[in-house]
């Protein structure tokens, strides 16, 4: 928020909980601002390392401390910038009850430290406050104390509400956790029902003319997996889901609700090895896995691999959930979405527990949970800023990669490689009590999740019972992370980790699908 206010430029890096997860430079007429990740006390997250590394070359520093815990924040920040020139922005000023007394304390702290202090509501800074902040940044003082010699003397506690209730709190948090995904799916269904006929009417005539072109060009542009045929469907289903989901998650983060949900759910998820905030990061993956995985940079070192695994396995991105819903609709079994989500959630929890680090599950590990989370009415600008990171990651990283993969898949289909692979894997479908027609969708879904749509072909969907359809969509969606997700994980955590994750995920997803498939066959599902 502050970098946007100071420079007049949009924040470009992906954010989680209002905290930047990578360093970004913003050049103005007079100076270059480097926006660093926020610091969490005693954190071993990559974001803390990035912030500390950025301090090495910094000539001047703007310290951002919260009015709710000003003394504690200064005790953390001042030792890190000893001898440097700095100014201090005191945020969350809107939560201070007695502004006159608090401002007098701020003035005393400024006089004794020699540092300019500016108090503001970073979400809604007025013109006068921004001018004061610009002046403070232009004329910083020199840090000579490891803690403020004059203490603010206050600590603001958040108001307790339903989410803090011992019994009702966790139940409410779970509902709020899944609500954005459900609303995004419902909204996307409504938009897709309106857009899909229009999109097909605009592209299918052209596709019919192009598909007969010689060589691979017709297949790449208008084949079964071509840019015109499948690309249009991707935009119809995925883009509305991402947009709606990004706005909802942006509202959660800008209001502090995401933090409060994580705090409430932390005791429930610690035994499986997830931090409370990690649960919200996993939820981000339902919009797009790419920004969710990037946001794990601010995870603890012992929970980041587990969180990435949970996203890759159980965060059904907009492509996956959209394609799955389309298959259920084609089979006239839309009610399967409930058992599908239940199976996905249950399997993800078990998978996460089996793959998590023992240190993360230890009762001695507090996992850096912040019990003091504040709720505030978010501004439209704040929601837009939060949502922009997810949308930018989708259009800038995920979508171009998906289009490239579509071209590769089209070429493989034209060359006969996909059909050969499907025939080769067809006998393996018997392991899951599935017909051979489920092989090719499973192969394609490993490349891009909309390959699940092949299950909606008339002959295939007619050959599947309700239980088989459930198993087929689950297997196709979870047996491997899609290629975009795998590439992102490789960039973030390395090829060795990615290879191990792929093997673990394939093994577990296959075991679950086989168990459910044969149980359904034996008991007549």
């Amino acid at each position: 928020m502050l970098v946007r206010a100071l420079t007049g430029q949009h924040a470009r890096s992906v954010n989680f909980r209002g905290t930047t997860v990578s360093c970004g430079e913003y050049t103005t007429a007079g100076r270059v601002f480097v926006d660093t990740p926020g610091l969490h006390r005693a954190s071993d997250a990559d974001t803390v390392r990035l912030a500390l590394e950025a301090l090495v070359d910094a000539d001047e520093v703007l310290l951002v401390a919260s009015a709710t815990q000003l003394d504690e924040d200064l005790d953390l920040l001042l030792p890190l910038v000893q001898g440097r020139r700095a100014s201090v922005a005191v945020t969350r000023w809107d939560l201070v009850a007695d502004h006159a007394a608090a401002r007098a304390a701020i003035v005393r702290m400024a006089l004794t430290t020699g540092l300019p202090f500016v108090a503001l509501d970073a979400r809604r800074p007025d013109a006068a406050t921004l001018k004061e902040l610009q002046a403070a940044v232009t004329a910083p003082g020199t840090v000579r104390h490891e803690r403020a010699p004059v203490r603010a003397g206050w600590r603001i506690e958040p108001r307790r509400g339903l989410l803090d209730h011992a019994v009702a709190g966790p139940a409410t948090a779970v509902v709020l956790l899944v609500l954005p995904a459900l609303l995004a799916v419902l909204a996307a269904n409504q938009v897709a029902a309106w857009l899909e006929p229009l999109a097909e009417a605009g592209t299918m005539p052209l596709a019919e003319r192009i598909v007969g072109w010689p060589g691979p060009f017709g297949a790449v542009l208008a084949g079964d997996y071509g840019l015109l045929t499948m690309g249009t469907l991707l935009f119809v289903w995925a883009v509305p889901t991402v947009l709606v989901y990004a706005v909802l998650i942006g509202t959660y983060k800008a209001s502090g609700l995401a933090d409060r949900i994580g705090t409430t759910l932390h005791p429930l998820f610690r035994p499986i090895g997830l931090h409370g905030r990690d649960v919200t990061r996993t939820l981000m993956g339902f919009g797009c896995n790419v920004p969710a995985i990037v946001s794990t940079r601010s995870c603890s070192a012992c929970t980041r691999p587990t969180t990435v695994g949970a996203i890759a396995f159980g965060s059904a991105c907009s492509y996956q959930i959209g394609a799955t819903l389309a298959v259920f609709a084609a089979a006239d079994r839309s009610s399967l979405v409930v058992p599908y989500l239940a199976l996905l959630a249950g399997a993800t929890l078990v998978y996460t527990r089996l793959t998590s680090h023992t240190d993360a599950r230890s009762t001695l590990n507090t996992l850096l949970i912040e019990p003091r989370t504040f709720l505030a009415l978010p501004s439209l600008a704040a929601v837009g800023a939060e949502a922009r990171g997810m949308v930018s990651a989708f259009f800038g990283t995920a979508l171009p990669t998906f289009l490239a993969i579509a071209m590769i898949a089209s070429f493989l289909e034209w060359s006969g490689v996909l059909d050969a692979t499907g025939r080769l894997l067809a006998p393996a479908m018997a392991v899951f009590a599935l017909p051979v027609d489920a092989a090719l969708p499973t192969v394609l879904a490993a490349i891009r999740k909309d390959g699940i749509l092949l299950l909606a072909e008339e002959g295939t969907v007619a050959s599947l019972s309700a239980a088989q359809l459930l198993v087929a969509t689950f297997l196709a969606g979870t047996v491997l992370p899609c290629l975009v997700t795998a590439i992102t994980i490789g960039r973030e955590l390395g090829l060795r980790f990615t290879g191990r994750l792929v093997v673990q995920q394939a093994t577990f997803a296959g075991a679950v699908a086989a168990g459910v498939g044969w149980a359904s066959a034996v008991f007549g599902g």
Side-chain angles (χ1 to χ4, degrees):
M1 292 297 178
L2 282 182
V3 72
R4 189 175 73 247
L6 283 168
T7 65
Q9 302 175 29
H10 293 304
R12 293 184 290 274
S13 56
V14 177
N15 290 277
F16 175 76
R17 186 179 168 262
T19 299
T20 311
V21 294
S22 62
C23 293
E25 291 190 0
Y26 302 82
T27 303
T28 62
R31 63 185 64 233
V32 176
F33 290 87
V34 179
D35 184 24
T36 69
L39 294 175
H40 293 288
R41 291 168 181 76
S43 174
D44 57 356
D46 281 354
T47 51
V48 174
R49 176 184 55 80
L50 290 172
L52 295 179
E53 288 176 354
L55 282 175
V56 174
D57 299 321
D59 298 320
E60 298 173 353
V61 181
L62 174 62
L63 303 177
V64 181
S66 174
T68 61
Q69 50 189 37
L70 183 55
D71 290 333
E72 294 95 324
D73 280 358
L74 290 178
D75 287 345
L76 169 70
L77 296 171
L78 290 177
L80 300 177
V81 292
Q82 278 292 296
R84 299 180 187 274
R85 293 173 58 75
S87 47
V88 182
V90 182
T91 61
R92 292 188 169 180
W93 194 246
D94 53 306
L95 298 177
V96 175
D98 189 345
H99 277 192
R103 193 170 293 278
I106 293 284
V107 171
R108 290 194 298 272
M109 297 177 80
L111 291 174
T112 56
T113 60
L115 306 177
F117 278 66
V118 179
L120 74 161
D121 176 2
R123 296 176 300 117
R124 299 181 181 86
D126 56 53
T129 304
L130 285 179
K131 186 176 180 180
E132 183 183 357
L133 184 61
Q134 290 281 8
V137 170
T138 304
T142 301
V143 179
R144 305 192 185 282
H145 303 86
E146 290 196 357
R147 68 196 306 263
V150 174
R151 313 296 284 174
W154 71 72
R155 180 179 170 89
I156 302 172
E157 298 296 334
R159 294 180 180 178
R160 296 184 62 82
L162 184 60
L163 284 171
D164 301 297
H165 192 276
V167 178
T172 304
V174 169
V175 171
L176 291 173
L177 188 68
V178 301
L179 188 60
L182 293 177
L183 291 179
V185 167
L186 291 174
N189 278 343
Q190 295 298 317
V191 173
W194 174 66
L195 282 181
E196 190 168 4
L198 299 177
E200 289 182 350
T203 59
M204 291 309 292
L206 179 60
E208 289 173 358
R209 290 197 296 269
I210 292 176
V211 72
W213 286 6
F217 300 105
V220 169
L221 292 175
D224 289 341
Y225 315 109
L227 298 178
L228 283 175
T229 48
M230 293 296 285
T232 302
L233 191 59
L234 294 179
F235 277 98
V236 166
W237 283 96
V239 172
T241 305
V242 169
L243 293 178
V244 173
Y245 195 79
V247 171
L248 291 172
I249 292 297
T251 302
Y252 272 36
K253 293 196 291 181
S255 65
L257 186 57
D259 244 1
R260 183 67 66 88
I261 292 172
T263 300
T264 302
L265 291 178
H266 176 70
L268 296 180
F269 283 90
R270 182 201 53 76
I272 69 170
L274 286 180
H275 183 294
R277 297 191 191 102
D278 298 337
V279 178
T280 314
R281 293 185 181 98
T282 304
L283 181 66
M284 286 176 62
F286 278 84
C288 180
N289 283 182
V290 172
I293 290 169
V294 172
S295 77
T296 64
R297 293 175 188 173
S298 55
C299 288
S300 172
C302 65
T303 66
R304 189 184 188 194
T306 307
T307 307
V308 170
I311 293 169
F313 185 94
S315 292
C317 71
S318 55
Y319 287 87
Q320 180 179 337
I321 198 70
T324 302
L325 292 173
V327 170
F328 291 160
D332 197 23
R333 299 180 186 272
S334 295
S335 60
L336 280 177
V337 69
V338 175
Y340 171 80
L341 291 175
L343 176 61
L344 184 64
T348 302
L349 291 175
V350 175
Y351 174 75
T352 302
R353 172 60 180 79
L354 292 175
T355 57
S356 63
H357 197 284
T358 53
D359 289 344
R361 303 193 301 270
S362 171
T363 55
L364 300 178
N365 189 346
T366 60
L367 294 176
L368 305 177
I369 192 66
E370 174 56 70
R372 299 170 63 254
T373 54
F374 294 82
L375 296 178
L377 185 65
S379 65
L380 291 177
V383 173
E386 294 289 354
R388 192 175 293 111
M390 182 181 294
V391 174
S392 296
F394 173 77
F395 282 100
T397 302
L399 191 58
T401 308
F402 272 118
L403 294 178
I405 292 171
M407 297 174 67
I408 295 171
S410 297
F411 181 81
L412 293 177
E413 191 236 355
W414 170 80
S415 65
V417 171
L418 283 184
D419 285 338
T421 305
R423 289 192 299 271
L424 183 65
L425 294 179
M429 292 297 102
V431 175
F432 312 105
L434 292 174
V436 295
D437 289 342
L440 191 56
T442 303
V443 173
L444 261 295
I447 301 175
R448 47 185 244 178
K449 292 303 179 185
D450 56 300
I452 297 171
L453 282 170
L454 291 184
L455 291 169
E457 290 187 356
E458 187 174 348
T460 302
V461 77
S463 67
L464 298 173
S465 67
Q468 287 177 321
L469 192 60
L470 178 64
V471 171
T473 50
F474 173 82
L475 179 65
T478 61
V479 69
L480 289 175
C482 76
L483 193 53
V484 176
T485 299
I487 290 172
T488 304
I489 295 172
R491 289 172 177 170
E492 291 290 318
L493 294 173
L495 295 178
R496 183 176 179 180
F497 173 85
T498 305
R500 185 171 67 250
L501 180 145
V502 166
V503 172
Q504 290 175 342
Q505 181 167 326
T507 302
F508 184 77
V512 172
V516 174
W518 281 106
S520 300
V522 170
F523 295 105

